[in-house]
Amino acid sequence: MLIWFVVIYLLVSIAIGLYAATRVHNAKDFAVAGRRLPLPVVTATVFATWFGAEAVFGVSATFVKDGLRGVVADPFGASLCLVIAGIFYGTKLYRLNVLTLGDFFRLRYNRSVEILTTVCIVASYLGWVSAQIKALGLVFNVVTDGAIPVAAGMVIGALVVLTYTSFGGMLSVAILDFVQMGVVMGGMLYIGHLVSGLTGGVDVVVSHASAAGKLDFFPSAGTAEWLTFIGAWVTMMLGSVPQQDVFQRVTSAKSAKVAIYASILGGGLYFCFTFVPMFIAYSATLISPEQFNALIETDSQRVLPTLVLEHTPVFAQAIFFGAVLSAIMSCSSATLLAPSVAFSENVVRGFFPSAGDRAFLRMMRLTLVTFTAIVLAFALNSEASIFKMVENAYKVTLAGAFVPLFFGAYWRRATTQGALAAIFGGLSSWLLIEALVAEPLVPPQLIGLGVSIVGMIAGSLLPQRIGRPTPPLDQHSEIHHRAAARTHHAEALHTHHQEPARK
């Protein structure tokens, strides 16, 4: 019964995604859902940004082992990121009417900065999306009691997500997010209710966790532990702001006001709801201490699914795994789409400047298939945990893309030379310390962030040898004008390519 439920659920998801594909008519529909989504749908899709494998398996497993200190990056840093990104994109970038973050970097700086930051952003998705694919393999393996190996489950999961995402793009993602988030929230709360009955109540679990020190948040040791703590928090909170999937979800809203409100609501909802799988996973240590404490030491990611399979009825199992699949597929579909759109728009398209809208749409879909294959190969060969794969993903964007993005939006004197100095300085210092220092006192990504800030300021204030010597006095009006001109050109090009068919 459980296996058939999962199969039916996957088929329904594909059907919904393919239905959404019938409403995709151009690249803008595919990339940002035509920018016409209402508040409830945008809130759901913002919430779904990270409520996937990381929140269900990664965060819960890390909390059981390390307590609240271990999950400072997610949900604490992650939820703040959604709020910061929503306000930033809603107030600064929404009105530019661009498809990707790389478009902003090109308009604000030049083509070189556009390519470098896009490569950073795309590279950061490798670990993040691989974590989702790895979790899908784990779900299929657990549901079938080992009949489907984890590797085969990864392949099946990747193909399912690829199918509806490649046809429907962001519109499929948004519609499925809205449907699947209802399943996720209802399913998780139902399982939490069942588990609380097995433990004697929520207060019993919370009291036990408190007594075990799992609710202690701030470090109690010295400088090194505090720096590690701050590094994890900042990496997720700021390093994940320059991410294409966050940008796409926020800017798919029908207005800037909806984008801001939905991000605040989605971020707050994400923060609160991530504690549900943490509660369920920790409850396992009270229900069967010997079994689950042993499992924590060997493979803590299996604590939650094992608890559900062995201590709840079949109906509850179907609800749980339906919710888990909803969460992971919602998250993985958008994170497959985002880097594919960014790479197509900001790297590949530069080599085909005269390509029409339909050709560009095919280009994005082909890139999506290619990126999925790369991610699947990485997931099949990686031994890292889901939590670590996600935590490491945003170091590259923190060191290489955050400073050019924020300084470009808020500092009028930021120049192309400063942006290039920030990118190369941040990335090189981060990578060198990662490679050469075994246990650095300061997290390498924080050093990379600091060097990137210094590079931006120094590079912008020194005599200019690269790019425009001084940005326009009213740079945001200029950027807006150039973005509007580019949009008009693309629309005219699209009309030109369609004209023969009309005749």
Side-chain angles (χ1 to χ4, degrees), residues 211-373:
K214 300 297 183 182
L215 302 186
D216 296 338
F217 183 63
F218 293 106
S220 56
T223 304
E225 189 172 337
W226 267 100
L227 287 171
T228 302
F229 177 85
I230 294 169
W233 196 340
V234 170
T235 300
M236 195 71 176
M237 181 174 60
L238 301 183
S240 48
V241 170
Q243 289 293 321
Q244 179 63 23
D245 65 319
V246 180
F247 174 79
Q248 282 179 219
R249 291 175 186 270
V250 172
T251 55
S252 63
K254 63 181 182 180
S255 69
K257 186 179 291 186
V258 168
I260 295 170
Y261 288 162
S263 299
I264 295 172
L265 289 172
L269 192 62
Y270 176 80
F271 177 78
C272 297
F273 210 80
T274 308
F275 285 92
V276 177
M278 281 193 262
F279 167 80
I280 297 171
Y282 191 79
S283 298
T285 61
L286 278 69
I287 294 171
S288 182
E290 292 184 5
Q291 176 190 5
F292 288 105
N293 284 330
L295 192 59
I296 289 168
E297 296 301 320
T298 55
D299 190 356
S300 57
Q301 294 171 163
R302 290 183 176 267
V303 169
L304 197 55
T306 303
L307 170 67
V308 173
L309 276 176
E310 296 186 5
H311 294 276
T312 62
V314 175
F315 175 74
Q317 294 170 23
I319 293 294
F320 172 78
F321 286 105
V324 168
L325 284 171
S326 295
I328 296 172
M329 289 197 301
S330 293
C331 192
S332 55
S333 57
T335 48
L336 276 175
L337 178 66
S340 304
V341 170
F343 191 78
S344 301
E345 165 74 3
N346 303 116
V347 178
V348 180
R349 190 168 191 167
F351 297 101
F352 306 96
S354 61
D357 194 77
R358 287 190 176 181
F360 180 52
L361 192 55
R362 287 195 297 271
M363 189 188 304
M364 284 195 288
R365 284 172 169 154
L366 181 60
T367 306
L368 177 64
V369 173
T370 305
F371 187 73
T372 303

Side-chain angles (χ1 to χ4, degrees), residues 40-64:
V41 178
V42 182
T43 300
T45 199
V46 168
F47 170 77
T49 303
W50 285 310
F51 201 86
E54 162 76 345
V56 177
F57 294 132
V59 173
S60 61
T62 304
F63 173 75
V64 170

Side-chain angles (χ1 to χ4, degrees), residues 95 412 471-482:
R95 63 193 174 93
R412 292 179 177 275
L473 181 62
D474 188 2
Q475 66 176 27
H476 295 294
S477 296
E478 175 67 13
I479 289 174
H480 180 72
H481 173 74
R482 288 157 61 198

Side-chain angles (χ1 to χ4, degrees), residues 175-247:
I175 292 173
L176 278 168
D177 282 350
F178 186 68
V179 174
Q180 291 171 337
M181 285 309 101
V183 177
V184 167
M185 298 178 74
M188 286 292 175
L189 289 173
Y190 175 67
I191 295 297
H193 172 70
L194 288 181
V195 168
S196 67
L198 295 173
T199 58
V202 175
D203 55 334
V204 174
V205 178
V206 173
S207 297
H208 189 280
S210 179
K214 300 297 183 182
L215 302 186
D216 296 338
F217 183 63
F218 293 106
S220 56
T223 304
E225 189 172 337
W226 267 100
L227 287 171
T228 302
F229 177 85
I230 294 169
W233 196 340
V234 170
T235 300
M236 195 71 176
M237 181 174 60
L238 301 183
S240 48
V241 170
Q243 289 293 321
Q244 179 63 23
D245 65 319
V246 180
F247 174 79

